[in-house]
Amino acid sequence: MINNFLKNFCLITFALIAPITLPAGGIQKELNQNKFPFNTKEIILSSNTSLYSCPEIQAKELLVIDVGTTLSVLRNWKVSENEIWVRVEIASNKLLDNPNKIRKGWIKM
């Protein structure tokens, strides 16, 4: 009985602690921790950019964001030295826009 209790305790502890480092949620990293340029919290696109569902090139492309769109930076995710992803929210008027419109996703920097 003690052996089963110990196994279950270890399993529950791992299930609660392990996911905190995943990009979908958990620990929020500071923007300047990954040397994000100018510590900005907003960016304006200078070219059309794809918005992805998660920080992977193979992820589902949600939509293409047009030039000049203002994005709010929510967090960033560093995959490697050459690959940085940023979770963004498209600026919009919450009262007038369609509530089902996709507004959040990941872009590759």
Side-chain angles (χ1 to χ4, degrees), residues 1 4 6-7 13 22 32 35 40 46 58 64 72 74 77-79 81 87 91 95 102 104 106:
M1 176 154 174
N4 285 338
L6 188 59
K7 285 181 186 177
T13 303
L22 298 174
N32 50 355
K35 297 179 179 135
T40 184
S46 60
Q58 299 85 5
V64 176
S72 297
L74 302 175
W77 185 255
K78 186 174 183 180
V79 176
E81 288 297 321
R87 176 128 170 103
L95 296 176
I102 295 173
K104 292 182 182 179
W106 293 89

Side-chain angles (χ1 to χ4, degrees), residues 1 8 15 25 33 35 44-45 47 52 57-58 62 65 73-74 76 88 98 104-105:
M1 176 154 174
N8 288 337
Q33 180 179 1
K35 297 179 179 135
I44 299 174
L45 297 179
S47 64
Y52 293 95
I57 290 293
Q58 299 85 5
L62 300 174
I65 308 170
V73 175
L74 302 175
N76 64 342
V88 295
N98 180 358
K104 292 182 182 179

Side-chain angles (χ1 to χ4, degrees), residues 13-27:
T13 303
F14 178 76
L16 293 174
I17 295 174
I20 63 174
T21 60
L22 298 174
I27 295 175

Side-chain angles (χ1 to χ4, degrees), residues 37-54:
F38 309 113
N39 288 338
T40 184
K41 301 237 182 211
E42 270 191 3
I43 52 177
I44 299 174
L45 297 179
S46 60
S47 64
N48 289 348
T49 304
S50 296
L51 188 70
Y52 293 95
S53 59
C54 62

Side-chain angles (χ1 to χ4, degrees), residues 49-54 60-66 69-71 74 87-94 97-107:
T49 304
S50 296
L51 188 70
Y52 293 95
S53 59
C54 62
K60 179 181 177 186
E61 185 178 314
L62 300 174
L63 56 97
V64 176
I65 308 170
D66 296 327
T69 304
T70 301
L71 304 172
L74 302 175
R87 176 128 170 103
V88 295
E89 181 176 13
I90 299 171
S92 67
N93 186 335
K94 293 180 183 180
D97 285 348
N98 180 358
N100 297 326
K101 181 180 173 186
I102 295 173
R103 298 183 329 125
K104 292 182 182 179
W106 293 89
I107 61 171

